[in-house]
C-alpha cells in the first residue's frame, strides 16, 4: 500500500513542482511521477535530517505537510536534473 501512496504523492508533487518551477521542463507523465517520487524521498530525508540529526532514506507521507515537503523536494530534483542535462531555467 505504501508504494501506491508514494506513486500518488509523486504524481501530485511532481506536477505541482513542475508548475511552480520557472522555465519549461520537458517530459511527460512518467518523468513527472519519477521526479515527484524522487522529490518525496529527498524532501522526507531532509526533514528527517533536520528533525533527528541522522540521515535516513525516508519518504514524505501522504498528508498536507508531506505534500509540501514532496513538492519542495521535487523542485530540488528538477533543479538538479536541469544541472545534469545542462538546460537553462528560462
Amino acid at each position: 500500500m505504501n508504494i501506491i501512496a508514494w506513486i500518488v504523492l509523486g504524481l501530485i508533487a511532481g506536477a505541482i513542482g513542475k508548475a511552480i518551477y520557472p522555465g519549461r521542463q520537458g517530459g511527460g507523465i512518467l518523468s513527472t511521477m519519477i521526479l515527484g517520487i524522487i522529490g518525496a524521498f529527498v524532501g522526507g530525508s531532509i526533514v528527517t535530517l533536520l528533525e533527528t540529526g541522522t540521515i535516513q532514506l525516508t519518504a514524505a507521507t501522504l498528508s498536507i505537510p508531506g505534500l509540501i515537503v514532496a513538492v519542495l523536494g521535487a523542485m530540488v530534483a528538477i533543479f538538479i536534473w536541469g544541472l545534469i542535462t545542462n538546460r537553462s531555467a528560462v
Side-chain angles (χ1 to χ4, degrees):
M1 193 65 174
N2 284 339
I3 300 293
I4 295 171
W6 287 344
I7 290 172
V8 170
L9 179 67
L11 184 60
I12 294 168
I16 294 172
K18 276 191 169 186
I20 293 173
Y21 196 80
R24 176 165 157 44
Q25 299 84 31
I29 192 166
L30 185 63
S31 67
T32 300
M33 189 168 35
I34 290 171
L35 284 173
I37 292 171
I38 291 170
F41 277 108
V42 167
S45 297
I46 290 172
V47 168
T48 302
L49 175 67
L50 293 175
E51 287 178 349
T52 64
T54 60
I55 297 177
Q56 295 177 357
L57 184 61
T58 57
T61 58
L62 194 56
S63 63
I64 298 298
L67 181 63
I68 293 169
V69 166
V71 168
L72 292 175
M75 291 177 68
V76 169
I78 291 169
F79 174 74
I80 292 172
W81 180 252
L83 289 178
I84 291 171
T85 60
N86 212 9
R87 291 186 184 159
S88 174
V90 177

